[in-house]
Amino acid sequence: MLFSLTILHMSITGLNGHKFFYRAAVFEIFQFPNFSYPGSEIISKNLEKYELAAEISADNVGSFQIVSQSVLEADIIVFPEEGLFSTSYENDTWFISYAEDVPNPKIEHVNPCDDDKYQNSPILKRLSCMAKKHEFYVVADLIDVKKCEVTDGCDENDIDYCVTDPDECPEDGYYHFNTLVVFDREGYLITRYYKIHLYFEEGLNTPKTIKHEYFTTEFGEFTVGICFDLLFQGFVKSARNATGLVYPTWWFDHTPLIYFATSFQQSWSIANKVNILAADVQYPNFGSLGSGIYTPGNGALIYTSNPDARSKLLISNVPVSPIAIPVDTDLLIKTFITLMMIIHFNLSLVKNLVIMRVNVVLMF
């Protein structure tokens, strides 16, 4: 009987203890709706929702008491495109005033949580501290502001906001980019990506160069994209070099458009053989909703498409290899219940057990 237990354990974690699965969370936010508050407080209220989602993701242990808590803590969390900036029909560019100067991680190795330099950059600081506190990767979206630089020559690091002719600068002298950022488990900024394909985004600038960004984790290589980007061929090519795609989006999920959020996300995952962690904004009045976690071997591991004006946190185990074949979780649990009834074994023998799929949907 102990031999059977050992074989089952190895089939899940691998002979060398390598985990075949990681735990991911995506957050679909229903944004703070009261515009009688100052813009900075609106952003802070939405950040509080992010922080609550992160807290739950980090402390989530599911309902399986035989599994150690470390197994079920999230490894990565993804937040939506412009999720911090509540929608206003009267002023849809209000949040540009709250843009922050996002450093280039290819040049600077920065940890905003620990650096007093970022005291006046509350979004960067709080996201960084979130990653550091919970020791997981954080993917989020904000607006990067860069002063237009007029020089005789531009290099690849500043070419998106560098010009040789002053007349080429924006009227206010600043560029504003829809920006995806990734923080590692210690709170360091490791990725900065500018959205390439804007979708009627007044006040924002398109980067001059097309740069597909990647970041490496202990559970795979990830590429990034924001919303409308995924309709373009370049992102299909970038996915070929990755096992996962992190995907903040603010999708218009409504007829007559045929690209409904969750079906588009799932089909993209299957067609391009890559895991997708997709986080959308919950805004039914605008036709925006639909988030999920997908793998090409099994389609949707977990998803939501419910216009109920509530925030939703989705958590699931995800195969490190996109083509991994999921294990029958019910059979796995029944097997262990049977083992526990037959023998009285030490629970420490299975403390590193990885349940293949323990999905959680929380609404608040």
Side-chain angles (χ1 to χ4, degrees):
M1 186 60 67
L2 285 177
F3 174 78
S4 299
L5 174 62
T6 303
I7 294 298
L8 181 58
H9 171 71
M10 289 192 300
S11 69
I12 298 167
T13 62
L15 293 172
N16 60 357
H18 173 70
K19 291 200 301 183
F20 293 147
F21 285 69
Y22 62 94
R23 195 147 180 81
V26 299
F27 184 51
E28 180 170 299
I29 187 174
F30 179 70
Q31 298 163 319
F32 183 72
N34 191 340
F35 274 89
S36 66
Y37 284 70
S40 59
E41 290 191 36
I42 292 173
I43 293 171
S44 182
K45 293 286 187 183
N46 288 324
L47 271 168
E48 288 174 8
K49 294 190 177 190
Y50 278 23
E51 288 163 344
L52 176 58
E55 195 79 34
I56 295 171
S57 300
D59 293 338
N60 165 58
V61 295
S63 58
F64 300 95
Q65 299 303 315
I66 64 172
V67 183
S68 69
Q69 180 170 344
S70 62
V71 169
L72 294 179
E73 293 172 345
D75 294 295
I76 185 170
I77 187 168
V78 181
F79 295 107
E81 177 187 18
E82 297 182 10
L84 296 173
F85 311 124
S86 301
T87 301
S88 169
Y89 286 116
E90 297 179 358
N91 181 5
D92 59 3
T93 62
W94 69 269
F95 54 85
I96 291 178
S97 301
Y98 298 91
E100 296 183 2
D101 185 0
V102 181
N104 185 346
K106 295 179 179 178
I107 300 175
E108 301 178 70
H109 189 54
V110 299
N111 188 322
C113 186
D114 295 337
D115 194 336
D116 291 339
K117 174 183 175 182
Y118 294 92
Q119 288 294 342
N120 295 322
S121 301
I123 299 175
L124 286 172
K125 179 167 279 291
R126 288 172 71 172
L127 291 174
S128 171
C129 289
M130 181 192 304
K132 180 180 179 180
K133 176 182 178 181
H134 300 300
E135 298 181 346
F136 54 34
Y137 292 85
V138 170
V139 181
D141 182 270
L142 72 163
I143 307 302
D144 185 12
V145 57
K146 289 290 184 285
K147 185 176 181 179
C148 182
E149 299 178 1
V150 182
T151 65
D152 294 332
C154 304
D155 62 37
E156 62 178 11
N157 293 316
D158 64 6
I159 193 170
D160 289 322
Y161 40 88
C162 171
V163 298
T164 56
D165 182 352
D167 293 335
E168 296 178 6
C169 286
E171 289 185 9
D172 64 355
Y174 290 88
Y175 288 97
H176 297 87
F177 300 103
N178 186 337
T179 306
L180 179 152
V181 291
V182 183
F183 297 91
D184 69 11
R185 294 183 188 271
E186 296 179 339
Y188 284 94
L189 179 67
I190 58 173
T191 301
R192 184 192 71 183
Y193 164 75
Y194 293 154
K195 184 178 181 181
I196 298 170
H197 304 285
L198 301 182
Y199 186 78
F200 300 107
E201 297 174 52
E202 184 181 353
L204 298 182
N205 300 103
T206 302
K208 299 175 185 177
T209 57
I210 296 178
K211 299 176 183 177
H212 296 286
E213 299 291 343
Y214 299 85
F215 65 96
T216 302
T217 71
E218 63 274 25
F219 47 87
E221 182 86 3
F222 286 79
T223 187
V224 306
I226 303 175
C227 200
F228 200 48
D229 281 336
L230 257 61
L231 290 177
F232 295 84
Q233 185 179 13
F235 287 85
V236 174
K237 294 180 179 179
S238 71
R240 295 172 185 168
N241 300 317
T243 57
L245 166 73
V246 291
Y247 184 53
T249 183
W250 189 321
W251 198 262
F252 184 72
D253 191 278
H254 203 281
T255 55
L257 300 181
I258 61 173
Y259 295 106
F260 292 101
T262 52
S263 58
F264 172 71
Q265 293 159 10
Q266 176 173 277
S267 61
W268 211 97
S269 170
I270 294 172
N272 295 292
K273 297 180 175 59
V274 64
N275 295 329
I276 292 184
L277 314 180
D280 200 353
V281 171
Q282 167 75 206
Y283 194 63
N285 291 344
F286 195 67
S288 294
L289 75 162
S291 305
I293 299 174
Y294 311 86
T295 189
N298 203 50
L301 296 174
I302 187 171
Y303 75 96
T304 178
S305 185
N306 184 5
D308 59 0
R310 299 175 69 183
S311 295
K312 299 172 184 67
L313 176 64
L314 312 181
I315 306 173
S316 179
N317 284 0
V318 185
V320 171
S321 171
I323 60 172
I325 301 175
V327 167
D328 187 330
T329 305
D330 292 336
L331 176 61
L332 188 61
I333 295 170
K334 290 175 183 177
T335 301
F336 266 92
I337 291 175
T338 302
L339 286 170
M340 292 178 70
M341 292 175 63
I342 295 176
I343 62 173
H344 299 286
F345 57 87
N346 188 336
L347 288 183
S348 65
L349 292 174
V350 292
K351 66 180 180 179
N352 292 319
L353 170 67
V354 177
I355 296 294
M356 288 300 190
R357 192 187 309 162
V358 183
N359 293 345
V360 179
V361 181
L362 297 172
M363 296 181 287
F364 50 91

